[in-house]
Amino acid sequence: MASEITYAEVKFKNASPAAVVEVPPETKKHEHHPQKYPPWLPWLISLLLLLVCIAVIIALLVAPCSHSGDQPTALRQRFTEWRCVSAVPRGKGQDWMCCPKGWKRFQKSCYYVSDDKMPWAESVQNCTRMESRLVVINSKAEQAFLTNELRQSRIGTNYYIGLRAQVVGHWRWVDQTPYNETAAFWRTGEPSNVAVEMCVVIHSTTEIHNWNDARCESHNRICEAAAVTA
C-alpha cells in the first residue's frame, strides 16, 4: 500500500517576522586627486629666478661706478675732461675723486678761480651755469687753501665769495649756511658795514684774514662744486 505524504501548513504563535538587517550604503571613499597646474608654470618660475639673478649681477657690477656723491649728473655732462686722484689708500679699492680740468680740488670740493671779472649777479649766474655756486667757506683749512691758491694765481686782486648782506651788517651765505662771526676771516678794520658795500671778496694777500666788504661791481670770482667720485 503506497504511503501518502501529507503537507500541513503550521503557524507558530508569537513568532516575530524575520529581522531585516539594514546595511548602510557603502561609504564612498573620497578620492584625492592631485592638484593640476598649468604646464607652463615651472617655466615661468624658472624665468623669474633667472631675471632676478641677472638683476643682482648687474647691480654688483654697476655699484662701484655709481658713486656720485651729492653732485648732480649735469656737472658730469657739462665737462668732458676731468682730473682724478685716488680717494682711498693704495691697494684698498679703485675709488676716485674727480674735478673738471682747470678746477682746483680741496678735500671733497672743486674750485674754479676765474680769470675774468663780473658784477655780483652775473657771477652768481655764471657759477650756476657750471652747476656750482659762489664758494661757501666752512673752515679755517678751506680758507687757508683758497688764500694760497689766490696768492699763486696772480690774476686778480679781489674775488667774490658767496657771502652778501641784504641789510647792512647782516651777512648771509648763498646756500643759507648760518653765518658764524667766530669763523669769519675779515681783514683788520673790516667789514665797513656801509650801504654801498654789501658784497664780500677775498683780497689776494698772504694773510689768512683777507675778507673785505665791497661794492657789488665787477670782480673775479671763486665757484665751488662737490667733487665727483667714481
Side-chain angles (χ1 to χ4, degrees):
M1 174 176 177
S3 61
E4 296 180 358
I5 298 175
T6 303
Y7 292 92
E9 183 177 351
V10 181
K11 293 184 179 180
F12 296 94
K13 294 182 178 179
N14 299 327
S16 59
V20 178
V21 179
E22 294 185 1
V23 179
E26 183 180 358
T27 304
K28 293 184 178 180
K29 296 182 180 179
H30 296 284
E31 297 182 358
H32 296 281
H33 298 284
Q35 188 174 359
K36 294 182 179 180
Y37 295 98
W40 47 263
L41 185 59
W43 293 98
L44 178 60
I45 295 175
S46 300
L47 178 60
L48 291 176
L49 291 175
L50 177 62
L51 292 176
V52 170
C53 293
I54 293 175
V56 171
I57 293 173
I58 292 176
L60 293 175
L61 293 176
V62 173
C65 300
S66 62
H67 303 296
S68 58
D70 298 327
Q71 191 59 44
T73 306
L75 182 64
R76 286 177 287 170
Q77 293 176 342
R78 184 176 184 86
F79 297 96
T80 57
E81 294 187 63
W82 295 77
R83 184 173 182 271
C84 301
V85 297
S86 177
V88 295
R90 183 174 298 177
K92 292 187 177 182
Q94 290 295 324
D95 286 347
W96 297 89
M97 191 166 293
C98 307
C99 289
K101 185 178 180 180
W103 292 51
K104 306 293 184 179
R105 187 188 66 84
F106 177 71
Q107 295 180 350
K108 296 182 179 180
S109 292
C110 304
Y111 301 87
Y112 171 75
V113 179
S114 78
D115 57 3
D116 62 335
K117 298 180 179 181
M118 294 180 179
W120 166 269
E122 284 81 352
S123 295
V124 171
Q125 293 173 2
N126 178 262
C127 291
T128 300
R129 285 194 295 269
M130 294 189 293
E131 300 295 330
S132 62
R133 53 167 165 70
L134 286 174
V135 61
V136 174
I137 300 172
N138 298 301
S139 67
K140 184 175 181 180
E142 186 178 19
Q143 169 69 13
F145 165 78
L146 294 173
T147 298
N148 184 61
E149 287 296 323
L150 297 185
R151 185 175 66 250
Q152 294 179 8
S153 68
R154 301 183 181 278
I155 295 174
T157 302
N158 294 308
Y159 295 79
Y160 276 129
I161 63 176
L163 189 64
R164 183 178 178 177
Q166 297 293 336
V167 178
V168 174
H170 292 75
W171 303 102
R172 299 189 67 176
W173 291 103
V174 291
D175 69 344
Q176 307 306 312
T177 296
Y179 171 72
N180 185 357
E181 182 66 39
T182 61
F185 300 91
W186 297 103
R187 298 182 72 182
T188 303
E190 301 291 345
S192 304
N193 286 330
V194 294
V196 294
E197 297 183 348
M198 304 290 276
C199 294
V200 179
V201 297
I202 287 182
H203 184 73
S204 57
T205 177
T206 57
E207 296 293 330
I208 193 171
H209 289 85
N210 52 16
W211 295 4
N212 287 5
D213 52 349
R215 296 175 182 270
C216 299
E217 52 192 22
S218 291
H219 295 293
N220 295 88
R221 64 199 171 279
I222 305 174
C223 301
E224 179 184 7
V228 172
T229 56

Short mmCIF file of all heavy atoms in Angstrom, two decimals, residues 29 35 49 58 61 92 97 100 114 116 120 132 139 141 147 151 168 180 186 196 226:
data_model
loop_
_atom_site.label_atom_id
_atom_site.label_comp_id
_atom_site.label_asym_id
_atom_site.label_seq_id
_atom_site.Cartn_x
_atom_site.Cartn_y
_atom_site.Cartn_z
N LYS A 29 34.41 56.42 -0.71
CA LYS A 29 35.76 56.89 -0.38
C LYS A 29 36.07 58.14 -1.19
O LYS A 29 35.79 58.21 -2.37
CB LYS A 29 36.78 55.80 -0.69
CG LYS A 29 36.61 54.56 0.18
CD LYS A 29 37.69 53.55 -0.15
CE LYS A 29 37.53 52.32 0.71
NZ LYS A 29 38.57 51.29 0.40
N GLN A 35 46.39 68.18 -7.33
CA GLN A 35 46.01 69.45 -7.96
C GLN A 35 46.82 69.67 -9.23
O GLN A 35 48.03 69.49 -9.25
CB GLN A 35 46.26 70.61 -6.99
CG GLN A 35 45.70 71.94 -7.49
CD GLN A 35 45.84 73.02 -6.44
OE1 GLN A 35 46.34 72.76 -5.36
NE2 GLN A 35 45.38 74.21 -6.75
N LEU A 49 63.28 83.51 -11.76
CA LEU A 49 64.51 83.32 -10.99
C LEU A 49 65.73 83.75 -11.79
O LEU A 49 66.67 84.36 -11.25
CB LEU A 49 64.64 81.85 -10.57
CG LEU A 49 63.62 81.37 -9.51
CD1 LEU A 49 63.77 79.87 -9.28
CD2 LEU A 49 63.81 82.13 -8.21
N ILE A 58 74.00 92.51 -12.31
CA ILE A 58 74.16 93.86 -12.87
C ILE A 58 74.35 94.87 -11.75
O ILE A 58 75.20 95.78 -11.84
CB ILE A 58 72.93 94.24 -13.72
CG1 ILE A 58 72.89 93.37 -14.99
CG2 ILE A 58 72.96 95.72 -14.10
CD1 ILE A 58 71.66 93.59 -15.85
N LEU A 61 77.87 94.76 -10.46
CA LEU A 61 78.86 95.29 -11.40
C LEU A 61 78.78 96.79 -11.52
O LEU A 61 79.81 97.47 -11.68
CB LEU A 61 78.66 94.65 -12.78
CG LEU A 61 78.96 93.16 -12.88
CD1 LEU A 61 78.62 92.65 -14.28
CD2 LEU A 61 80.43 92.88 -12.57
N LYS A 92 93.43 99.59 -1.62
CA LYS A 92 92.16 99.35 -0.92
C LYS A 92 90.95 99.66 -1.78
O LYS A 92 89.87 99.91 -1.29
CB LYS A 92 92.11 100.17 0.36
CG LYS A 92 93.11 99.72 1.42
CD LYS A 92 92.88 100.45 2.72
CE LYS A 92 93.84 99.95 3.80
NZ LYS A 92 93.62 100.62 5.11
N MET A 97 88.32 110.54 -6.86
CA MET A 97 87.67 111.82 -6.64
C MET A 97 88.12 112.74 -7.77
O MET A 97 89.31 112.95 -7.98
CB MET A 97 88.05 112.38 -5.27
CG MET A 97 87.22 113.57 -4.84
SD MET A 97 87.43 113.94 -3.08
CE MET A 97 86.66 112.49 -2.35
N PRO A 100 86.58 118.89 -12.66
CA PRO A 100 86.76 119.28 -14.07
C PRO A 100 88.18 119.82 -14.28
O PRO A 100 88.78 120.42 -13.39
CB PRO A 100 85.71 120.36 -14.27
CG PRO A 100 84.67 120.10 -13.23
CD PRO A 100 85.43 119.59 -12.04
N SER A 114 88.23 132.28 -11.35
CA SER A 114 88.03 132.91 -12.65
C SER A 114 89.20 133.81 -13.02
O SER A 114 89.91 134.34 -12.17
CB SER A 114 86.73 133.72 -12.65
OG SER A 114 86.91 134.96 -11.98
N ASP A 116 88.38 136.28 -15.27
CA ASP A 116 87.66 137.45 -15.77
C ASP A 116 86.81 138.04 -14.65
O ASP A 116 86.67 137.45 -13.58
CB ASP A 116 86.78 137.08 -16.97
CG ASP A 116 85.71 136.06 -16.61
OD1 ASP A 116 85.92 135.30 -15.63
OD2 ASP A 116 84.67 136.02 -17.27
N TRP A 120 78.27 141.11 -9.19
CA TRP A 120 77.80 140.04 -8.30
C TRP A 120 76.75 139.16 -8.95
O TRP A 120 76.86 137.93 -8.97
CB TRP A 120 77.27 140.64 -7.00
CG TRP A 120 76.48 139.66 -6.18
CD1 TRP A 120 75.15 139.43 -6.22
CD2 TRP A 120 77.01 138.76 -5.19
NE1 TRP A 120 74.79 138.45 -5.31
CE2 TRP A 120 75.91 138.03 -4.67
CE3 TRP A 120 78.29 138.52 -4.67
CZ2 TRP A 120 76.07 137.07 -3.67
CZ3 TRP A 120 78.43 137.57 -3.68
CH2 TRP A 120 77.34 136.85 -3.19
N SER A 132 77.46 124.90 -10.14
CA SER A 132 78.19 125.18 -8.91
C SER A 132 77.58 126.42 -8.27
O SER A 132 76.50 126.87 -8.65
CB SER A 132 79.68 125.38 -9.21
OG SER A 132 79.87 126.51 -10.07
N SER A 139 85.58 126.41 6.96
CA SER A 139 86.63 126.08 7.93
C SER A 139 87.87 126.92 7.68
O SER A 139 88.07 127.49 6.60
CB SER A 139 87.00 124.59 7.85
OG SER A 139 87.62 124.30 6.60
N ALA A 141 90.82 125.64 7.45
CA ALA A 141 91.64 124.91 6.48
C ALA A 141 91.24 125.27 5.06
O ALA A 141 92.10 125.45 4.18
CB ALA A 141 91.48 123.41 6.71
N THR A 147 93.40 131.00 0.14
CA THR A 147 94.39 132.08 0.23
C THR A 147 95.66 131.72 -0.51
O THR A 147 96.24 132.54 -1.24
CB THR A 147 94.70 132.38 1.71
OG1 THR A 147 93.50 132.82 2.37
CG2 THR A 147 95.76 133.46 1.85
N ARG A 151 97.13 133.49 -4.01
CA ARG A 151 98.49 134.06 -4.00
C ARG A 151 99.31 133.53 -5.17
O ARG A 151 100.12 134.26 -5.75
CB ARG A 151 99.17 133.73 -2.67
CG ARG A 151 100.55 134.39 -2.54
CD ARG A 151 101.17 134.17 -1.19
NE ARG A 151 101.50 132.76 -0.96
CZ ARG A 151 100.87 131.98 -0.10
NH1 ARG A 151 99.87 132.46 0.62
NH2 ARG A 151 101.25 130.73 0.07
N VAL A 168 72.35 146.02 5.90
CA VAL A 168 73.71 146.36 6.34
C VAL A 168 74.06 145.61 7.63
O VAL A 168 73.32 145.64 8.61
CB VAL A 168 73.84 147.89 6.57
CG1 VAL A 168 75.20 148.23 7.17
CG2 VAL A 168 73.64 148.64 5.26
N ASN A 180 78.67 132.54 10.78
CA ASN A 180 79.29 132.41 12.09
C ASN A 180 80.39 133.45 12.22
O ASN A 180 81.44 133.36 11.56
CB ASN A 180 79.87 130.99 12.25
CG ASN A 180 80.43 130.75 13.64
OD1 ASN A 180 80.46 131.64 14.49
ND2 ASN A 180 80.89 129.53 13.87
N TRP A 186 87.77 138.35 8.32
CA TRP A 186 87.82 139.75 7.89
C TRP A 186 89.20 140.33 8.08
O TRP A 186 89.91 140.00 9.04
CB TRP A 186 86.81 140.57 8.67
CG TRP A 186 85.37 140.18 8.48
CD1 TRP A 186 84.59 139.46 9.35
CD2 TRP A 186 84.55 140.47 7.36
NE1 TRP A 186 83.34 139.28 8.84
CE2 TRP A 186 83.28 139.90 7.62
CE3 TRP A 186 84.75 141.16 6.16
CZ2 TRP A 186 82.21 140.00 6.73
CZ3 TRP A 186 83.69 141.25 5.27
CH2 TRP A 186 82.44 140.68 5.55
N VAL A 196 76.85 150.96 0.74
CA VAL A 196 77.36 150.82 -0.63
C VAL A 196 78.26 149.60 -0.78
O VAL A 196 78.70 149.29 -1.88
CB VAL A 196 78.13 152.10 -1.06
CG1 VAL A 196 77.19 153.29 -1.15
CG2 VAL A 196 79.28 152.38 -0.11
N ALA A 226 80.73 120.19 -5.50
CA ALA A 226 81.15 118.94 -4.87
C ALA A 226 81.94 118.11 -5.87
O ALA A 226 81.57 118.01 -7.04
CB ALA A 226 79.94 118.16 -4.37
#
